[in-house]
Amino acid sequence: MTSFVVNGGRRLSGSLVCQGSKNSALPILAATYLVNGKSVIHNCPRLSDVESTIKILENLGCKVERRSNDLVVDSTSANGYEIPESLMREMRSSVIFLGAILAKTGKAVISAPGGCEIGLRPIDLHLFAMRKLGVTISEEHGRLECFVNKKLKGAKITLTFPSVGATENAILAAAVAEGTTTIINAAREPEIIDLCDFLNKCGARISGGGESIIVIDGVKKLSATEHTVICDRIAAATYLFAGAVTGGDVSVKNTVPAHLGGILPVLEEAGCTVSVRCDEIRLKAPLKLNRIDKLITQPYPGFPTDAQAPIMVLTTLARGTSVIVENIFETRFKHVPELLRMGAKIRTEGRVAVVDGVERLYGASVVSPDLRGGSALVLAALAANGITSVSEIKHIDRGYENFEKNLCMLNADIVRMTKNYANTKEK
Ligand code: UD1
């Protein structure tokens, strides 16, 4: 079992360079399958989710080569159309390959991904968008068999919720469909803009990326190109939160500060001083954090669900009572019982968490429940008195590159242990 062992209570300070965005890299890598030729994707983070995506690309017949932080994907002779169930299980978001596979080969066989740690995560909106574009879908024993009827045909797709993944799948399939597609109530996340930028450089004709209405004029062919993935706004936020909970002074470089527009005002509400200079965000923590009145997770540009667990750690240490409402995923409070073990005072009912700030958290043995819940526990451990072991860190490795190294650079005392910490202590 691999764990992080954290000796808490040290004030974090210093600066680091932000990693490339996981949620941008994954759909862009799916898009490299669709485009013809050799794509070079710069600033592609080293994460287990990226490794799972590489396995899918190779399974579909692509040649993938990593050169430092760049990935070179050659899809020239690739023509696979099936993602094995084992790979679908490895990474739930592999469903973002659906649009690319259908657009390239006219058929696709994938397994229905099912629920995961953070909620039910249905894919009805993805399938709705594909059907609108002329895809016939049948489901048997959890396998989805999808066929394009003659050709993908442009359509008006109105999403009942601005799903990130469904918007990405619709864009990928519509990029080479016959005619014009309009996506109404599209997701507006920066990662959608990044995908559109990549595809447009490949010859696509997509306008409105980052807005609620995206218009795509289908083209006959897309040609591979080079692209640099944007900074990971959630990773950037996590390091700023680490500064906030340790009374620290932390700068994150190479960011797009506007992408953290839903997050930085909340840090200011908590009493932090936030300053932005070009691509660098600096956070100075107050002596005591203020409560956050009411925080509701929302689609971009609102406060992101991916930052809900990490920011909850701030509220556990704040003066007064904070309310957090998780509006996007159904069961995204699995970090709460672990935070309680560390001395936090939190009550949850359905999608609402009420957090009473305490003087301090205490080291404990906790289990990482999911990616962001896991990073939240590490933040709590950094702030806590004593030693905390956070196990099941495979979840954290899905989304944070060099997590412990970056935190050590900021003066944290954190090590990765491959043995059970309790055993190590006994020896
Ligand atoms: C993406 C991110 C994920 C992040 C999430 C929210 C990627 C690859 N993944 O996930 O890391 O946590 O956005 O920022 O970028 N929904 C449906 N039907 C569907 C699709 C979604 O009901 O067909 C619901 C989901 O259950 C959820 C909500 O819509 O309640 C948001 O999901 P969505 O925006 O699709 O998130 P993902 O793309 O799965």
Side-chain angles (χ1 to χ4, degrees), residues 120-158:
L120 295 171
R121 301 192 85 169
I123 57 164
D124 54 318
L125 295 171
H126 301 244
L127 303 184
F128 165 77
M130 294 304 108
R131 287 191 172 107
K132 280 278 180 186
L133 293 167
V135 178
T136 300
I137 301 168
S138 60
E139 188 176 358
E140 218 172 295
H141 311 303
R143 292 294 278 170
L144 293 169
E145 299 203 350
C146 313
F147 295 93
V148 174
N149 313 321
K150 289 189 194 149
K151 281 198 101 182
L152 286 169
K153 282 231 157 66
K156 180 173 151 194
I157 302 169
T158 305

Side-chain angles (χ1 to χ4, degrees), residues 31-357:
T32 64
Y33 178 60
L34 168 60
V35 305
N36 299 294
K38 213 183 237 189
S39 305
V40 183
I41 310 301
H42 304 289
N43 200 27
C44 208
R46 289 174 182 272
L47 306 167
S48 59
D49 266 10
V50 170
E51 294 308 314
S52 304
T53 305
I54 293 172
K55 279 192 217 163
I56 294 175
L57 285 166
E58 288 175 337
N59 200 273
L60 293 169
C62 298
K63 292 192 185 95
V64 187
E65 192 192 332
R66 189 176 262 286
R67 297 180 191 154
S68 179
N69 264 7
D70 303 340
L71 277 184
V72 182
V73 184
D74 187 353
S75 64
T76 311
S77 52
N79 60 1
Y81 60 89
E82 184 165 357
I83 304 180
E85 195 175 344
S86 55
L87 291 180
M88 286 294 296
R89 277 189 193 280
E90 217 170 89
M91 188 183 64
R92 192 217 167 271
S93 48
S94 33
V95 70
I96 48 170
F97 271 90
L98 183 60
I101 296 175
L102 282 166
K104 188 167 176 114
T105 69
K107 56 190 168 186
V109 181
I110 63 167
S111 58
C116 74
E117 302 87 5
I118 61 172
L120 295 171
R121 301 192 85 169
I123 57 164
D124 54 318
L125 295 171
H126 301 244
L127 303 184
F128 165 77
M130 294 304 108
R131 287 191 172 107
K132 280 278 180 186
L133 293 167
V135 178
T136 300
I137 301 168
S138 60
E139 188 176 358
E140 218 172 295
H141 311 303
R143 292 294 278 170
L144 293 169
E145 299 203 350
C146 313
F147 295 93
V148 174
N149 313 321
K150 289 189 194 149
K151 281 198 101 182
L152 286 169
K153 282 231 157 66
K156 180 173 151 194
I157 302 169
T158 305
L159 297 176
T160 49
F161 182 87
S163 154
V164 177
T167 302
E168 289 163 348
N169 257 329
I171 290 169
L172 284 162
V176 293
E178 199 176 78
T180 300
T181 297
T182 309
I183 308 173
I184 295 169
N185 198 24
R188 291 184 284 162
E189 270 69 359
E191 295 77 21
I192 301 278
I193 305 178
D194 209 18
L195 175 65
C196 293
D197 285 348
F198 171 69
L199 288 169
N200 282 338
K201 281 197 249 169
C202 296
R205 295 178 58 200
I206 307 169
S207 58
E211 294 165 30
S212 293
I213 298 179
I214 298 179
V215 179
I216 303 149
D217 288 320
V219 295
K220 288 217 162 65
K221 198 180 149 199
L222 296 169
S223 306
T225 188
E226 289 195 29
H227 184 77
T228 302
V229 170
I230 57 171
C231 150
D232 194 309
R233 61 196 165 98
I234 305 300
T238 305
Y239 293 116
L240 295 175
F241 297 159
V245 296
T246 59
D249 181 349
V250 166
S251 295
V252 186
K253 295 177 182 169
N254 200 26
T255 68
V256 183
H259 291 172
L260 283 91
I263 296 173
L264 300 184
V266 180
L267 284 169
E268 285 176 332
E269 184 185 346
C272 302
T273 307
V274 179
S275 51
V276 171
R277 232 182 89 206
C278 303
D279 67 359
E280 182 172 343
I281 307 174
R282 179 174 180 185
L283 174 137
K284 284 194 223 171
L287 283 176
K288 180 82 184 164
L289 291 158
N290 297 332
R291 75 191 185 99
I292 295 164
D293 186 21
K294 190 173 182 188
L295 186 147
I296 304 177
T297 64
Q298 281 166 335
Y300 191 85
F303 190 90
T305 173
D306 284 351
Q308 176 261 113
I311 206 159
M312 187 181 282
V313 180
L314 268 75
T315 63
T316 65
L317 291 164
R319 192 186 292 119
T321 301
S322 308
V323 176
I324 297 179
V325 182
E326 173 52 57
N327 217 5
I328 307 293
F329 291 106
E330 300 85 6
T331 53
R332 213 172 189 181
F333 281 146
K334 294 209 167 137
H335 44 284
V336 169
E338 305 301 311
L339 289 173
L340 295 181
R341 291 168 65 86
M342 299 180 73
K345 275 196 181 166
I346 309 167
R347 285 159 287 147
T348 59
E349 196 172 322
R351 288 168 180 259
V352 181
V354 179
V355 187
D356 293 320

